[in-house]
Structure formats: C-alpha cells, structure tokens
Coordinates of all heavy atoms in Angstrom, one line a residue:
S1 N 71.4 -115.9 -150.6 CA 71.6 -116.4 -152.0 C 72.6 -115.6 -152.8 O 73.3 -116.1 -153.6 CB 70.2 -116.4 -152.7 OG 69.7 -115.1 -152.8
Q2 N 72.6 -114.3 -152.5 CA 73.6 -113.4 -153.2 C 75.0 -113.7 -152.7 O 75.9 -113.7 -153.5 CB 73.2 -112.0 -153.0 CG 71.9 -111.5 -153.6 CD 71.4 -110.2 -153.1 OE1 71.4 -110.0 -151.9 NE2 71.0 -109.3 -154.0
L3 N 75.1 -113.9 -151.4 CA 76.4 -114.3 -150.9 C 76.9 -115.6 -151.4 O 78.1 -115.7 -151.8 CB 76.4 -114.3 -149.3 CG 77.7 -114.7 -148.6 CD1 78.8 -113.7 -149.0 CD2 77.5 -114.7 -147.1
A4 N 76.0 -116.6 -151.5 CA 76.4 -117.9 -152.1 C 76.9 -117.7 -153.5 O 77.9 -118.3 -153.9 CB 75.2 -118.8 -152.0
E5 N 76.2 -116.9 -154.3 CA 76.6 -116.7 -155.7 C 78.0 -115.9 -155.8 O 78.8 -116.3 -156.5 CB 75.6 -115.8 -156.4 CG 75.8 -115.6 -157.9 CD 74.7 -114.9 -158.5 OE1 73.5 -115.2 -158.3 OE2 75.0 -113.9 -159.3
R6 N 78.2 -114.9 -154.9 CA 79.4 -114.2 -154.9 C 80.6 -115.0 -154.5 O 81.7 -114.8 -154.9 CB 79.3 -112.9 -154.1 CG 78.4 -111.9 -154.6 CD 79.0 -110.6 -155.2 NE 80.3 -110.2 -154.7 CZ 80.5 -109.2 -153.8 NH1 79.5 -108.6 -153.3 NH2 81.7 -108.9 -153.5
S7 N 80.4 -115.8 -153.5 CA 81.5 -116.6 -152.8 C 81.7 -117.9 -153.4 O 82.8 -118.5 -153.3 CB 81.2 -116.7 -151.3 OG 80.1 -117.6 -151.1
G8 N 80.7 -118.5 -154.1 CA 80.9 -119.8 -154.6 C 80.6 -120.9 -153.6 O 80.8 -122.1 -153.8
V9 N 80.2 -120.5 -152.4 CA 79.9 -121.4 -151.3 C 78.4 -121.6 -151.3 O 77.6 -120.6 -151.2 CB 80.4 -120.9 -149.9 CG1 80.0 -121.9 -148.8 CG2 81.9 -120.7 -150.0
P10 N 77.8 -122.8 -151.4 CA 76.4 -123.0 -151.4 C 75.7 -122.4 -150.1 O 76.3 -122.3 -149.0 CB 76.2 -124.5 -151.5 CG 77.5 -125.0 -152.0 CD 78.5 -124.1 -151.5
A11 N 74.4 -122.1 -150.2 CA 73.7 -121.5 -149.1 C 73.6 -122.5 -147.8 O 73.7 -122.0 -146.7 CB 72.3 -121.2 -149.5
T12 N 73.6 -123.8 -148.0 CA 73.5 -124.7 -146.9 C 74.7 -124.6 -145.9 O 74.5 -124.4 -144.7 CB 73.3 -126.1 -147.3 OG1 72.1 -126.2 -148.1 CG2 73.2 -127.1 -146.2
P13 N 75.9 -124.6 -146.5 CA 77.1 -124.4 -145.6 C 77.1 -123.0 -145.0 O 77.5 -122.8 -143.8 CB 78.3 -124.6 -146.5 CG 77.8 -125.4 -147.6 CD 76.4 -125.0 -147.8
L14 N 76.6 -122.0 -145.7 CA 76.6 -120.7 -145.1 C 75.7 -120.6 -143.9 O 76.0 -120.0 -142.9 CB 76.1 -119.7 -146.2 CG 76.9 -119.5 -147.4 CD1 76.3 -118.5 -148.3 CD2 78.3 -119.1 -147.0
R15 N 74.5 -121.3 -144.0 CA 73.6 -121.3 -142.8 C 74.3 -122.1 -141.6 O 74.2 -121.7 -140.5 CB 72.3 -122.0 -143.2 CG 71.5 -121.2 -144.1 CD 70.1 -121.9 -144.4 NE 69.4 -121.2 -145.4 CZ 69.4 -121.5 -146.7 NH1 70.1 -122.6 -147.1 NH2 68.8 -120.9 -147.6
F16 N 75.0 -123.2 -142.0 CA 75.7 -123.9 -141.0 C 76.8 -123.1 -140.3 O 77.0 -123.1 -139.1 CB 76.3 -125.2 -141.6 CG 77.0 -126.0 -140.6 CD1 76.4 -126.8 -139.6 CD2 78.4 -126.1 -140.6 CE1 77.0 -127.6 -138.7 CE2 79.1 -126.8 -139.6 CZ 78.4 -127.6 -138.7
Y17 N 77.6 -122.4 -141.1 CA 78.6 -121.5 -140.6 C 78.1 -120.4 -139.7 O 78.7 -120.1 -138.7 CB 79.4 -120.8 -141.7 CG 80.2 -121.7 -142.6 CD1 80.7 -121.3 -143.8 CD2 80.5 -123.0 -142.2 CE1 81.5 -122.1 -144.6 CE2 81.3 -123.8 -143.0 CZ 81.7 -123.4 -144.3 OH 82.5 -124.2 -145.1
E18 N 76.9 -119.9 -140.0 CA 76.3 -118.9 -139.1 C 75.9 -119.6 -137.8 O 76.3 -119.0 -136.7 CB 75.0 -118.4 -139.8 CG 74.3 -117.3 -138.9 CD 72.9 -116.9 -139.3 OE1 72.5 -117.4 -140.4 OE2 72.3 -116.2 -138.6
G19 N 75.3 -120.7 -137.8 CA 75.0 -121.4 -136.6 C 76.2 -121.8 -135.7 O 76.1 -121.7 -134.5
A20 N 77.3 -122.2 -136.4 CA 78.5 -122.6 -135.7 C 79.3 -121.5 -135.2 O 80.2 -121.7 -134.4 CB 79.3 -123.5 -136.6
G21 N 79.1 -120.3 -135.7 CA 79.8 -119.1 -135.2 C 80.7 -118.3 -136.1 O 80.9 -117.1 -136.0
P22 N 81.4 -119.0 -137.1 CA 82.4 -118.2 -137.9 C 81.8 -117.2 -138.9 O 82.5 -116.4 -139.4 CB 83.2 -119.2 -138.6 CG 82.4 -120.5 -138.6 CD 81.5 -120.4 -137.5
L23 N 80.5 -117.3 -139.2 CA 79.9 -116.3 -140.2 C 78.7 -115.7 -139.6 O 77.5 -116.1 -139.8 CB 79.6 -117.1 -141.5 CG 79.1 -116.2 -142.6 CD1 80.2 -115.3 -143.1 CD2 78.6 -117.0 -143.8
P24 N 78.8 -114.6 -138.8 CA 77.7 -114.0 -138.3 C 76.8 -113.3 -139.3 O 77.3 -113.0 -140.4 CB 78.2 -112.9 -137.3 CG 79.6 -112.7 -137.8 CD 80.1 -114.0 -138.5
A25 N 75.5 -113.2 -139.1 CA 74.6 -112.6 -140.0 C 73.6 -111.7 -139.3 O 73.3 -112.0 -138.1 CB 73.8 -113.6 -140.8
D26 N 73.3 -110.6 -139.9 CA 72.2 -109.8 -139.4 C 70.9 -110.3 -140.0 O 70.9 -111.2 -140.9 CB 72.4 -108.3 -139.8 CG 73.6 -107.7 -139.1 OD1 73.9 -108.1 -138.0 OD2 74.3 -106.9 -139.7
R27 N 69.8 -109.9 -139.5 CA 68.5 -110.3 -140.0 C 67.7 -109.1 -140.4 O 67.8 -108.0 -139.7 CB 67.7 -111.1 -138.9 CG 68.4 -112.3 -138.5 CD 68.1 -113.4 -139.4 NE 68.7 -114.7 -139.0 CZ 68.3 -115.9 -139.3 NH1 67.2 -116.0 -140.1 NH2 68.9 -116.9 -138.9
T28 N 66.9 -109.2 -141.4 CA 66.0 -108.2 -141.8 C 64.8 -108.3 -140.9 O 64.6 -109.3 -140.2 CB 65.5 -108.4 -143.3 OG1 64.7 -109.6 -143.4 CG2 66.7 -108.4 -144.3
P29 N 63.9 -107.3 -140.9 CA 62.7 -107.4 -140.0 C 61.9 -108.6 -140.4 O 61.2 -109.1 -139.5 CB 61.9 -106.1 -140.4 CG 63.0 -105.1 -140.8 CD 64.0 -105.9 -141.5
S30 N 61.9 -109.1 -141.6 CA 61.2 -110.3 -142.0 C 61.9 -111.6 -141.7 O 61.4 -112.6 -142.0 CB 60.8 -110.2 -143.5 OG 61.9 -110.1 -144.3
G31 N 63.1 -111.5 -141.1 CA 63.9 -112.7 -140.7 C 64.9 -113.2 -141.7 O 65.6 -114.2 -141.5
H32 N 65.0 -112.6 -142.9 CA 66.0 -113.0 -143.9 C 67.4 -112.7 -143.4 O 67.7 -111.6 -142.8 CB 65.8 -112.3 -145.2 CG 64.6 -112.8 -145.9 ND1 63.4 -112.0 -145.9 CD2 64.3 -113.9 -146.6 CE1 62.5 -112.7 -146.6 NE2 63.0 -113.8 -147.0
R33 N 68.4 -113.6 -143.6 CA 69.8 -113.3 -143.3 C 70.3 -112.3 -144.3 O 70.1 -112.4 -145.5 CB 70.6 -114.6 -143.4 CG 70.3 -115.7 -142.4 CD 71.0 -117.0 -142.8 NE 70.8 -118.0 -141.9 CZ 69.8 -118.8 -141.9 NH1 68.9 -118.8 -142.8 NH2 69.7 -119.8 -140.9
I34 N 71.1 -111.4 -143.7 CA 71.8 -110.4 -144.6 C 73.2 -110.3 -144.1 O 73.6 -110.4 -143.0 CB 71.1 -109.0 -144.6 CG1 70.9 -108.5 -143.2 CG2 69.8 -109.1 -145.4 CD1 70.4 -107.0 -143.2
H35 N 74.1 -110.1 -145.1 CA 75.6 -110.1 -144.9 C 76.1 -108.8 -145.6 O 75.6 -108.5 -146.6 CB 76.3 -111.3 -145.4 CG 75.8 -112.6 -144.8 ND1 76.4 -113.1 -143.7 CD2 74.8 -113.5 -145.1 CE1 75.8 -114.2 -143.3 NE2 74.8 -114.4 -144.2
G36 N 77.2 -108.3 -145.0 CA 77.9 -107.2 -145.6 C 78.9 -107.7 -146.6 O 79.2 -108.9 -146.7
E37 N 79.6 -106.8 -147.3 CA 80.6 -107.1 -148.2 C 81.8 -107.9 -147.6 O 82.4 -108.7 -148.2 CB 81.2 -105.9 -148.9 CG 80.2 -105.2 -149.8 CD 80.0 -106.0 -151.1 OE1 80.9 -106.7 -151.6 OE2 78.8 -106.0 -151.6
E38 N 82.1 -107.6 -146.3 CA 83.2 -108.3 -145.6 C 82.9 -109.8 -145.5 O 83.9 -110.6 -145.3 CB 83.4 -107.7 -144.2 CG 82.3 -108.1 -143.2 CD 81.0 -107.3 -143.3 OE1 80.9 -106.3 -144.1 OE2 80.0 -107.7 -142.6
A39 N 81.7 -110.3 -145.7 CA 81.4 -111.7 -145.5 C 82.1 -112.5 -146.7 O 82.5 -113.7 -146.5 CB 79.9 -111.9 -145.6
V40 N 82.3 -111.9 -147.8 CA 82.9 -112.6 -148.9 C 84.4 -112.9 -148.6 O 84.8 -114.1 -148.7 CB 82.9 -111.8 -150.2 CG1 83.6 -112.5 -151.4 CG2 81.4 -111.5 -150.6
E41 N 85.1 -112.0 -148.0 CA 86.5 -112.2 -147.6 C 86.5 -113.1 -146.4 O 87.4 -114.0 -146.4 CB 87.1 -110.8 -147.3 CG 88.6 -110.9 -147.0 CD 89.2 -109.6 -146.7 OE1 88.6 -108.6 -146.9 OE2 90.4 -109.6 -146.3
R42 N 85.6 -113.0 -145.5 CA 85.6 -113.9 -144.3 C 85.4 -115.3 -144.8 O 86.0 -116.2 -144.3 CB 84.5 -113.4 -143.4 CG 84.4 -114.1 -142.1 CD 83.3 -113.5 -141.2 NE 83.3 -114.0 -139.9 CZ 84.0 -113.5 -138.9 NH1 84.7 -112.4 -139.0 NH2 84.0 -114.1 -137.7
L43 N 84.5 -115.5 -145.7 CA 84.2 -116.9 -146.3 C 85.5 -117.4 -146.9 O 85.8 -118.6 -146.8 CB 83.1 -116.9 -147.3 CG 81.7 -117.1 -146.7 CD1 80.6 -116.9 -147.7 CD2 81.6 -118.5 -146.1
A44 N 86.2 -116.6 -147.7 CA 87.4 -117.1 -148.3 C 88.4 -117.6 -147.2 O 89.1 -118.6 -147.4 CB 88.1 -116.0 -149.1

C-alpha cells in the first residue's frame, strides 16, 4: 500500500507485476509483501 502511494501505481498491478516477474518482493514473517526504496525507480 505504501509502494502504491509512493509510485502512483495501484496495488493490483503491483501484485500482478510481482507474479509476472518484473517486481520481486520480499515477505514479512506474516506474509505481507515488502519492497525496498529501489522498487519505486524499478516501477517507473
């Protein structure tokens, strides 16, 4: 949700990009997706 707000790209495409390969994500122990600062530039 924070990445979506920072990048202007809605969360649904972000999840799709992760599944398709161009936007990898790490996971918290509880399973939430987490991204580093580099994800904003990668999304651009």
Side-chain angles (χ1 to χ4, degrees):
S1 60
Q2 295 166 312
L3 179 58
E5 186 177 314
R6 291 256 329 262
S7 67
V9 178
T12 300
L14 297 179
R15 289 183 190 97
F16 180 75
Y17 294 164
E18 179 191 356
L23 185 67
D26 293 327
R27 298 281 181 153
T28 66
S30 60
H32 292 103
R33 292 171 177 86
I34 53 172
H35 299 272
E37 291 292 326
E38 73 282 351
V40 176
E41 187 176 351
R42 188 177 187 91
L43 269 172

